[in-house]
Amino acid sequence: MTIRRVALRQTPQLCRRGLNPANLAISQRPRFSTISRRNGGPGRSRGGLGKFLGGVLVALAAGGAVVLYPSGTKDPPKPREAVIEYEKARPLAESKEANRDLISSQHLQVKKSWENPGVYAWGSNSGRVAAPDSTEGVVKTPRRITYFDGQLLRDIKLDRDFGAAVTENGNLVQWGTAFSTANPAPTETLRGKDLVKVEISRDRIIALGKNGTVYSLPVAGSDQNAGKKTQKSSWFSFWSSSETVHYRQLKPKNLAWGESVVDVASGLEHALLLTSKGRVFSAASSTSDFPSKGQLGIPGLNWATRPSGPYDEPHEILTLQGMNITKVAAGDYHSLALDANGRVFVFGDNTSGQLGFEVEPQFPFVDGPIPLPFSKIYGGSNLQPRITSIAAGGANSFFTVDAKRVAGLAETTPAQDLGRVTADTWACGSGILGSLGTGKWTHVSLGPSKIKSLSELYEWDEKRNSVVPIRLARLSVGSTHAAAVMDNVTSVDASTITSDNDTNWGADIVFWGGNEYYQLGTGKRNNIALPTYISPLDGGEGDAEKGREGELHRFQITPRSTVRLGPGGSGRRVSVEQRVECGRFVTAVYSGT
């Protein structure tokens, strides 16, 4: 039986991809064929021919694709030859010194600090402290206080509403709205006392004279003028005259022959006086509130129990007798004292853990000095700690420690690193604004925490030909922020007889903590919980002049050196260094003598 059907002969898939749609339509035309069930003679013959023709078409399509492929494609572009630029082209130097300025931002910073000494300040300006001649609320980046241009200072302290500085001649300069709302510009007040250091409380200034005399005078200029003036006398009694400002003297009693006050520290309400014999006295330093949080270090002493006499009479801290105290520091409401053996004593407010102990709500303060056991902190480490310096501010305390490697009880053979010293920095207190510098944001401290980025640091000292620990040269603590100057290797010996590429460089300096008033100098307002660098004080202006515009360089502070001031070293020869001072929401870097 023969059946008749339509067979749709489709081109194979491979062929369809190689042909255009028109050819595909032709290849799919219907064809009629008669197939016999009994034999496949005619049908089998036609099926074989179709397969043959399909194979030919597939071969032609594949061959055409191979032939046409090179003409339809382009060679890939050759990669451009890489050109490595190691350094941007710089202007040609006209002299040896000009070449140093061109190749080193650090050298230029050191040079400018000598040629143009003075004060840079930034942070809160609500009290006209950071910029006395401006009404801006904040100063976001370092700016010069023009009054101090060309001047060297012995000391400077800053509050958000007033500032105080000691000139090179030992006179006191005050400014800010708390000093005078009508004229907040810097003005000399206390003169002729040969002052060497100044501290500030909430409303008074505590100034130390070179001879050991301690002066206490009100911040407000109106109070200085209204109060009773002390009579000053010369070598001849008939040449006596009245002082120009009102002040008081803080006189510790029962000082030994030749004993005098050599250091002072102040919180918001109290002051600490350190004598040359290692004795410590404390006194009220504010007229608004009498110290009541144990910061005086005398158990049971408060306004109601104070002895008769002046309210700010100094009292010796008897617990520290015989301890040979070498350094004192004060936060807002707490105190620290360091002895000659590297032990630290703490007392006062501990509501944030600033004394280094866990906070106990039932005992918010300690009214007598107690030792902070750093030996327990280093327990089991085979390191013997010795505290080398202390600093305090706001509700924070800082300690630098030299930890010496010693032999452990379980060590059978001597270690190769016996005697090696590791320099560590520890912090405690409030850290919610990042002021601990540990990278953590904590309300209170359970004990001292190590600032890892300022600890266990070493460098190679070419002069000693050995690896030495990097310590802190200076630590300044404000109410919510802090700054640390590293004691790293510096160089200030470049001269006309050294090579063209021999440059000066200063010490590294880092900042951290609260930044709500731009007091960190980064130009931004975010708080920072880790020590960080800032840009050069001039904002990169000097680098731009030398062809380094857009480059990132860090501020390095100039170490002490004896140089000639002024452009090209044309001025007088002095010993000078740059110092940093962190205050209450304000920061300053000044040229110190």
Side-chain angles (χ1 to χ4, degrees):
M1 178 178 179
T2 303
I3 63 174
R4 197 171 181 86
R5 67 177 180 179
V6 178
L8 183 61
R9 193 178 301 274
Q10 297 182 356
T11 306
Q13 185 72 16
L14 180 62
C15 181
R16 291 176 61 189
R17 292 181 180 177
L19 300 177
N20 58 47
N23 293 334
L24 288 178
I26 294 174
S27 64
Q28 292 180 355
R29 69 185 181 278
R31 298 192 61 178
F32 297 93
S33 59
T34 302
I35 300 177
S36 175
R37 290 179 182 267
R38 292 175 295 180
N39 56 52
R44 188 180 300 274
S45 169
R46 290 181 177 273
L49 180 60
K51 291 181 179 179
F52 174 76
L53 292 176
V56 172
L57 290 175
V58 171
L60 290 175
V66 172
V67 173
L68 295 175
Y69 176 75
S71 63
T73 60
K74 296 182 179 180
D75 293 335
K78 295 181 180 180
R80 292 188 304 172
E81 184 178 355
V83 179
I84 301 176
E85 295 184 2
Y86 293 98
E87 187 177 5
K88 293 181 179 179
R90 307 224 184 253
L92 295 177
E94 299 179 354
S95 64
K96 181 180 294 188
E97 185 62 26
N99 182 69
R100 293 167 178 161
D101 292 341
L102 291 174
I103 65 175
S104 174
S105 172
Q106 288 76 22
H107 180 86
L108 185 61
Q109 291 179 52
V110 172
K111 178 181 177 180
K112 294 182 72 172
S113 72
W114 292 339
E115 291 185 341
N116 303 290
V119 176
Y120 285 88
W122 60 93
S124 174
N125 196 43
S126 60
R128 306 280 291 275
V129 175
D133 55 352
S134 172
T135 58
E136 297 173 84
V138 293
V139 176
K140 298 181 180 181
T141 54
R143 183 185 303 179
R144 292 183 73 95
I145 300 179
T146 55
Y147 175 87
F148 295 108
D149 282 352
Q151 296 190 42
L152 306 183
L153 302 179
R154 294 183 178 182
D155 197 9
I156 193 171
K157 290 295 184 294
L158 305 169
D159 185 89
R160 68 185 301 176
D161 295 324
F162 65 92
V166 179
T167 67
E168 186 177 5
N169 296 326
N171 297 329
L172 180 65
V173 174
Q174 294 180 242
W175 71 99
T177 56
F179 167 65
S180 173
T181 55
N183 182 23
T187 305
E188 279 196 0
T189 54
L190 188 62
R191 301 184 181 92
K193 304 302 181 184
D194 199 10
L195 304 178
V196 294
K197 187 176 182 180
V198 65
E199 291 285 329
I200 57 177
S201 70
R202 179 176 283 113
D203 55 6
R204 297 188 72 83
I205 295 174
I206 311 299
L208 174 64
K210 190 174 183 179
N211 61 359
T213 304
V214 181
Y215 304 91
S216 173
L217 63 156
V219 168
S222 57
D223 293 339
Q224 295 176 7
N225 296 328
K228 182 180 179 181
K229 309 298 191 298
T230 304
Q231 289 293 119
K232 63 178 181 179
S233 59
S234 64
W235 293 101
F236 302 98
S237 59
F238 55 85
W239 282 1
S240 62
S241 61
S242 297
E243 296 281 3
T244 56
V245 298
H246 163 68
Y247 65 83
R248 302 170 61 86
Q249 287 190 16
L250 304 183
K251 298 180 179 180
K253 294 182 179 180
N254 302 320
L255 294 183
W257 177 258
E259 184 179 14
S260 63
V261 177
V262 294
D263 196 12
V264 293
S266 181
L268 290 178
E269 301 172 352
H270 75 294
L272 301 175
L273 285 64
L274 175 65
T275 75
S276 55
K277 298 291 185 180
R279 299 162 66 192
V280 181
F281 293 78
S282 62
S285 63
S286 171
T287 56
S288 59
D289 293 287
F290 193 84
S292 59
K293 298 184 179 182
Q295 63 265 51
L296 292 176
I298 301 174
L301 180 60
N302 54 46
W303 177 259
T305 63
R306 75 189 191 283
S308 59
Y311 81 98
D312 57 357
E313 180 180 350
H315 305 278
E316 183 176 5
I317 303 178
L318 300 178
T319 311
L320 297 178
Q321 273 190 347
M323 298 297 182
N324 192 14
I325 302 300
T326 59
K327 176 71 175 177
V328 292
D332 283 351
Y333 304 105
H334 71 286
S335 304
L336 310 176
L338 178 66
D339 73 2
N341 295 319
R343 298 176 300 176
V344 65
F345 299 87
V346 298
F347 47 100
D349 181 32
N350 193 46
T351 53
S352 297
Q354 58 265 53
L355 298 186
F357 298 98
E358 187 174 353
V359 177
E360 299 183 35
Q362 62 272 29
F363 301 108
F365 61 83
V366 177
D367 60 1
I370 56 176
L372 184 60
F374 263 87
S375 56
K376 291 185 178 180
I377 297 175
Y378 281 87
S381 64
N382 295 333
L383 294 174
Q384 186 178 62
R386 176 188 176 89
I387 302 174
T388 55
S389 69
I390 55 176
N396 294 105
S397 300
F398 294 86
F399 315 91
T400 61
V401 177
D402 274 2
K404 183 179 180 181
R405 176 68 162 89
V406 296
L409 297 176
E411 292 181 328
T412 57
T413 57
Q416 295 182 352
D417 59 348
L418 284 180
R420 185 176 185 177
V421 174
T422 300
D424 294 332
T425 304
W426 297 79
C428 57
S430 175
I432 193 61
L433 298 178
S435 50
L436 292 176
T438 60
K440 298 180 180 179
W441 312 87
T442 57
H443 286 278
V444 299
S445 297
L446 302 180
S449 299
K450 183 184 292 187
I451 305 179
K452 295 182 179 179
S453 54
L454 299 179
S455 302
E456 302 179 32
L457 303 177
Y458 296 88
E459 67 179 342
W460 179 262
D461 190 335
E462 294 182 356
K463 294 182 179 180
R464 300 181 183 179
N465 198 31
S466 64
V467 175
V468 296
I470 302 178
R471 298 179 173 89
L472 298 189
R474 184 183 296 271
L475 184 57
S476 179
V477 187
S479 58
T480 61
H481 72 296
V485 178
M486 309 301 294
D487 193 20
N488 57 282
V489 174
T490 60
S491 176
V492 289
D493 299 325
S495 65
T496 56
I497 62 175
T498 57
S499 71
D500 291 11
N501 297 328
D502 186 19
T503 62
N504 294 324
W505 69 87
D508 288 328
I509 178 172
V510 289
F511 298 81
W512 68 90
N515 198 26
E516 61 271 44
Y517 299 99
Y518 298 89
Q519 61 263 45
L520 295 184
T522 60
K524 300 178 180 180
R525 202 179 182 186
N526 58 300
N527 303 329
I528 301 177
L530 287 171
T532 186
Y533 296 105
I534 67 171
S535 299
L537 296 179
D538 65 357
E541 179 182 341
D543 287 321
E545 293 176 355
K546 303 302 178 182
R548 292 189 290 268
E549 185 176 3
E551 296 182 8
L552 297 179
H553 296 279
R554 66 179 184 268
F555 167 47
Q556 285 192 314
I557 198 165
T558 304
R560 179 167 293 281
S561 180
T562 300
V563 296
R564 289 192 177 277
L565 303 178
S570 58
R572 58 195 177 100
R573 188 175 182 84
V574 296
S575 176
V576 62
E577 66 176 348
Q578 280 187 321
R579 300 176 192 153
V580 62
E581 183 63 39
C582 296
R584 190 166 302 278
F585 314 133
V586 192
T587 308
V589 171
Y590 65 100
S591 301
T593 184

